[in-house]
Amino acid sequence: VTVPSAGGETDLSKKKRAAALEVALGRAYPEARCSLDYQNPFQLWVATVLSAQCTDSRVNLITPALFRRCPDALSLSTLSQEEVEALIRPTGFFRNKAKSLRQGAALLLTEFSGQVPDTMESLLRIPGVARKTANVLLGNAFGKAEGFVVDTHVLRLALRLGLTARRDPVRIERDLMTLFPRERWTSLSHRLIQHGRQVCKARRPACERCPLTALCPRVGLES
Ligand code: SF4
């Protein structure tokens, strides 16, 4: 990923460009939403853990059977490491994921009455949960936006679109939070992720069919 030059852009013009990007992304991806299947915060936590290094569609294939067997933290905590591994194996990195799920379920039971908590501070205490996962949970399962979901797509797009010059996800998230209104953080995260998956791909961004060209330092702002 190369950091584009937006030609010495001022904070004010960057804010205006961010507002225009928000409108363009809203038009291009009006239906963008979390692509993991879930019915409650517990299921979304489990699905998000499984989605590391795995596609959401593959996670969605295995979670129905997993959630039938483990509908809550208590039932998950009673399974052995080997039993959890067998249930989640197709998602890859299954040993570490099984460990995180079992440790997380145990913590939910001892500290949070078996429920997934709804604050950033409490979520970050769950093994394997960093700000990205916590933001997925807060924004989608609880409707409480505390920040942006800075996954690989949002990280790449924030750089390409000249919305940050940082490389660290936490600092990128902070830059994005200053540019966009809080009530849009969750929907914008989904729209940026969809744009990254469908158009502004890592290896070969499809600039020729991108709805953001006029607002992108890589193309529009340089021409
Ligand atoms: S113009 Fe190209 S680099 Fe810029 S957002 Fe679109 S696809 Fe990505």
Side-chain angles (χ1 to χ4, degrees), residues 1-176:
V1 174
T2 53
V3 181
S5 160
E9 189 177 37
T10 64
D11 285 352
L12 182 62
S13 56
K14 190 188 269 189
K15 276 224 164 196
K16 284 186 179 161
R17 194 163 60 82
L21 278 168
E22 188 191 321
V23 172
L25 283 163
R27 278 201 197 111
Y29 309 104
E31 308 295 336
R33 55 178 283 279
C34 178
S35 49
L36 291 167
D37 293 339
Y38 67 97
Q39 290 182 338
N40 53 49
F42 170 77
Q43 291 188 354
L44 184 56
W45 164 62
V46 171
T48 308
V49 170
L50 297 180
S51 71
Q53 310 288 326
C54 182
T55 63
D56 289 356
S57 53
R58 184 173 280 259
V59 172
N60 291 338
L61 283 177
I62 70 121
T63 46
L66 178 63
F67 294 152
R68 269 196 299 279
R69 183 92 186 269
C70 304
D72 50 29
L74 181 60
S75 47
L76 177 57
S77 71
T78 60
L79 296 189
S80 68
Q81 171 76 16
E82 291 70 28
E83 286 173 314
V84 179
E85 286 180 8
L87 284 163
I88 67 171
R89 199 182 183 98
T91 68
F93 299 95
F94 56 91
R95 287 199 182 90
N96 281 342
K97 289 178 183 178
K99 202 168 144 199
S100 292
L101 289 175
R102 291 181 71 248
Q103 288 178 345
L107 185 102
L108 292 181
L109 286 171
T110 55
E111 301 285 323
F112 302 109
S113 309
Q115 303 300 310
V116 174
D118 65 351
T119 66
M120 176 64 77
E121 192 188 0
S122 297
L123 286 167
L124 293 178
R125 293 182 54 202
I126 302 172
V129 171
R131 279 194 67 91
K132 184 183 82 169
T133 300
N135 280 322
V136 170
L137 285 161
L138 289 168
N140 296 285
F142 296 110
K144 290 168 67 172
E146 292 283 328
F148 268 80
V149 176
V150 182
D151 72 348
T152 178
H153 299 294
V154 173
L155 188 148
R156 183 175 73 251
L157 262 84
L159 286 163
R160 282 183 179 166
L161 288 167
L163 300 175
T164 187
R166 321 274 189 182
R167 300 272 170 180
D168 167 50
V170 174
R171 299 181 79 181
I172 290 174
E173 186 187 350
R174 224 178 286 152
D175 285 346
L176 293 174

Side-chain angles (χ1 to χ4, degrees), residues 160-161 195 199-200 205-207 210 212-213 216 218-219:
R160 282 183 179 166
L161 288 167
H195 186 60
V199 180
C200 194
C207 303
C210 175
L212 310 180
T213 43
C216 180
R218 270 175 76 118
V219 182

